[in-house]
Amino acid sequence: MRINVVTIFPEFFAGPFGTSIVGRAAEAGTARLRVVDLRDYTHDRHRTVDDEPFGGGAGMVMKPEPFFEAVDDLEPGGPVVLLSPRGRKFDHATAVRYSVGEELTLLCGHYKGVDERVAESLATEELSIGDYVLSGGEPAALVVIDAVVRLLPGAMSDHASAAGDSFYDGLLGPPEYTRPAEYRGMAVPEVLRSGNHARIEAWRREQAERITCDRRPDLWEREG
Ligand code: 9D3
């Protein structure tokens, strides 16, 4: 899969792409990541990417032309996603849809926003990662890339973690413990040390349901 990111901060991606699951996927050839510097698609001496808003007001708006010309060059064969606080909320189903595609192009905005013609006529979708204000689309692009790349064949460290994704489908995970069996007076639940796999599975299911119901009534509602 090919993933393109268009940004005014290409350095932002150097660290994350050099390490972690995303870096490994890039190395293994399952994901090819291309970071495009938006300023390479400006034509003035100052490499200007923003301008004053029509109609007045504070702040600046990102110009449309560099985005259009950058995407012209990429000739993307899949979704072109504008990361924006006005987008639909990113979720696991969207990550799965992107991961089965050939190519994904992410456009990062900044400042007050991006000229609406980018959202309307260049991007095929607009995504937010949640209801909080970021300074730009770059951290959101990283979130999307991480969620997609870990689903690609070969990115998962073992098959159990892939199966685990669907086993508690739509539920939060149960509590996990490792050694020591007792730490600072806190004991691991006896059932997990019983060796009784049927009991353990029933306990995990029950815990997952209780935690989902308590903490995420929205997920619990969908679960039915
Ligand atoms: C004038 C209203 N502001 C929206 C609350 C404008 C604005 C704020 C922050 C426009 C862009 C940004 C930068 N944020 C993103 O580009 C962004 C984002 C976010 O802020 N929250 C959640 N998901 C995303 S995806 C991209």
Side-chain angles (χ1 to χ4, degrees):
M1 167 174 210
R2 159 152 265 155
I3 302 178
N4 311 304
V5 187
V6 179
T7 174
I8 57 169
F9 292 127
E11 334 78 65
F12 186 94
F13 297 90
F17 286 6
T19 56
S20 77
I21 235 171
V22 182
R24 261 189 286 132
E27 218 156 273
T30 47
R32 301 163 69 95
L33 305 161
R34 209 161 27 174
V35 180
V36 174
D37 188 344
L38 187 68
R39 290 190 199 276
D40 290 347
Y41 292 90
T42 57
H43 302 289
D44 65 313
R45 267 195 337 118
H46 296 106
R47 313 227 294 164
T48 309
V49 291
D50 62 349
D51 202 345
E52 295 163 341
F54 271 116
M60 299 290 269
V61 177
M62 293 184 82
K63 296 161 62 59
E65 310 96 305
F67 281 109
F68 275 85
E69 291 177 31
V71 172
D72 280 350
D73 252 15
L74 287 167
E75 299 185 70
V80 176
V81 178
L82 176 63
L83 282 324
S84 141
R86 296 164 61 203
R88 181 174 55 77
K89 187 99 59 78
F90 179 61
D91 61 12
H92 185 66
T94 306
V96 170
R97 173 163 60 88
Y98 294 159
S99 76
V100 299
E102 290 284 309
E103 190 166 0
L104 174 65
T105 300
L106 302 171
L107 311 178
C108 303
H110 262 269
Y111 313 126
K112 186 174 181 179
V114 176
D115 186 286
E116 187 65 15
R117 289 166 288 192
V118 172
E120 246 176 30
S121 307
L122 183 63
T124 58
E125 24 193 318
E126 202 170 343
L127 282 188
S128 160
I129 60 163
D131 295 337
Y132 33 79
V133 182
L134 301 173
S135 57
E138 285 78 9
L142 273 184
V143 166
V144 172
I145 292 166
D146 189 274
V148 170
V149 165
R150 65 177 287 282
L151 296 173
L152 298 176
M156 214 79 71
S157 51
D158 58 66
H159 199 266
S161 32
D165 266 2
S166 52
F167 195 79
Y168 295 104
D169 212 7
L171 292 179
L172 301 178
E176 307 274 9
Y177 296 89
T178 186
R179 281 184 281 270
E182 190 182 321
Y183 183 65
R184 298 195 179 187
M186 299 174 282
V188 171
E190 181 277 328
V191 55
L192 295 178
R193 307 184 61 212
S194 68
N196 182 334
H197 292 289
R199 255 187 87 209
I200 290 170
E201 216 28 76
W203 182 86
R204 284 181 168 154
R205 183 80 203 178
E206 184 188 297
Q207 292 288 314
E209 291 182 355
R210 181 185 57 77
I211 289 169
T212 305
C213 186
D214 286 356
R215 302 184 187 181
R216 293 294 304 276
D218 58 320
L219 290 181
W220 185 244
E221 218 46 57
R222 257 187 280 170
E223 173 78 0

